[in-house]
Amino acid sequence: MDHFLYRNGQLHAEDVNLATIADSVGTPFYCYSAATLTRHYTLFREALDPLPNLICYAVKSNSNLAVLKLLGDLGAGMDVVSIGEYLRARAAGVPGARIVFSGVGKTRDEMRAALEGGIRQFNVESDPEMEALSQVAESMGVRAPITLRVNPDVDARTHEKISTGRKEDKFGVPISRAREIYARAARLPGLKVIGVDMHIGSQLTDLAPFESAYLKMADLVRALRQDGHVIERLDLGGGLGIPYTRANDAPPLPVDYGAMVKRVLGDLDCEIEIEPGRLISGNAGVLVTEVIYRKQAEEREFLIVDAAMNDLVRPAMYGAHHDIEPLIEPPAGAPMAPVDIVGPICESGDTFAKQRALPFVAAGERIAFRSAGAYGAVMSSEYNSRPLVPEVLVSGDHFAVIRPRPSYEQMLGRDSIPDWL
Ligand code: LLP
């Protein structure tokens, strides 16, 4: 459930008419709902209750400081994959003791900065990383708390580009070598082994791959304890999928996921960490855009909108589907016709949807791409010298711009021409 609904024939974010925001900030813009973010976070809390747990929001899905502050104030931890994300979480007021550091390529500088600033744990992904972290920590006279990310070799049955738990993927250490690598980790002077970590992929719409991975994890925890390790935390990663269409699309809910976690891992006496991103932020955001032209080509009609693949890359990159809704509610029974919705960028890949059945939307009217709160703004670029689109947060009947649209002067001002040119 989210808070983007028609009221009096106009699409609203909570109690705010999206047209009012469009008039104020211009299009395109991202709009997030505070109530939806809160609700999704709370669903996970309730789903894992009464197991000791920490919901470490995956910052990569939407890293706006206001979003992080909202979730951090609710008690969320954060999962970060770069020192940039770490600094964002800290700037939003999240203490280091609630931040986990994931990622396959942490640099020594990043490790040092996180150890200096305070960190809950590093999720280590390889032997060389383990050694580098131990050296950095030792040089600082501290021991870095670690889990090892174990690759359980299960197929998450999701999009090829966001599947991470098969043995051919670059992530984690193979489960078959885990005991040997844990034994080496325990001997490294700068490390303190505290748990096991796993993340098998994103947008999973079935609990079965999670369950088979978690069963392997439970066996591993028992084996590691027999080997003498103290395993207190299980980081289960993120990945629970969301409905991208209103019709015929009902992935498992956090409550179903939580019940499975409790059933499979509940008796291990571990603190459970999860790293959901998309499920918290995805359906808490829309991208609003205006139709510039309707263009009739020989075989099809195009809706050319002022957002483009640089603003929301998911359709171009993964062939992802985003539901589209006009800001003005179409009358009941309005005729639907197939159109291609495209952006102004000079390549054919700049296509949001092909032959999508939509009611008539005239040039100058606005539409919203739904489910755009996760992996939307964070993946945007300035390709074609298009300024990054602004982000707006709604709560109840008020809204605030939480990232303004940069001016062209600001955009150009970041470059410099050497004096020898
Ligand atoms: N933890 C780790 C270690 C991850 O790599 C990810 C996502 C998450 C947690 C959060 O996963 P989520 O709960 O959001 O599914 N850009 C792609 C998604 C990439 C996901 C990368 N890792 C997309 O737009 O679909």
Side-chain angles (χ1 to χ4, degrees), residues 1-4 11-14 18 29-37 40 57 61-62 67 242-244 246 277-288 312 314 322-323 325 368-377 391-394 402:
M1 204 208 102
D2 60 55
H3 291 76
F4 296 94
L11 193 59
H12 280 60
E14 303 189 24
L18 284 168
F29 66 93
Y30 277 99
C31 177
Y32 312 128
S33 151
T36 312
L37 289 164
H40 290 162
Y57 168 67
S61 71
N62 184 324
V67 171
I242 62 168
Y244 273 98
R246 287 219 165 161
R278 190 190 316 261
L279 203 138
I280 292 180
S281 58
N283 276 324
V286 295
L287 172 65
V288 176
L312 176 64
R314 302 193 69 259
H322 286 261
D323 269 2
E325 277 175 357
F369 292 102
R370 296 182 54 88
S371 315
Y375 308 111
E391 295 173 82
V392 173
L393 182 66
V394 168
I402 56 173

Side-chain angles (χ1 to χ4, degrees), residues 130-157:
M130 195 166 85
E131 267 147 39
L133 179 59
S134 178
Q135 284 164 11
V136 171
E138 219 190 340
S139 75
M140 296 170 69
V142 296
R143 287 174 76 195
I146 66 149
T147 70
L148 280 173
R149 176 167 173 180
V150 172
N151 183 329
D153 192 23
V154 299
D155 185 351
R157 289 183 238 146

Side-chain angles (χ1 to χ4, degrees), residues 58 60 79 162 199 202 239 275-278 314 318 375 379:
K60 64 163 73 74
D79 166 48
I162 53 177
H199 169 79
S202 196
E275 303 169 348
R278 190 190 316 261
R314 302 193 69 259
Y318 313 112
Y375 308 111
M379 293 181 77

Side-chain angles (χ1 to χ4, degrees), residues 70-71 89 171 183 199 226 233 236 288 406:
L70 183 155
L71 294 168
F171 300 96
H199 169 79
Q226 271 174 16
R233 288 184 198 156
L236 308 181
V288 176

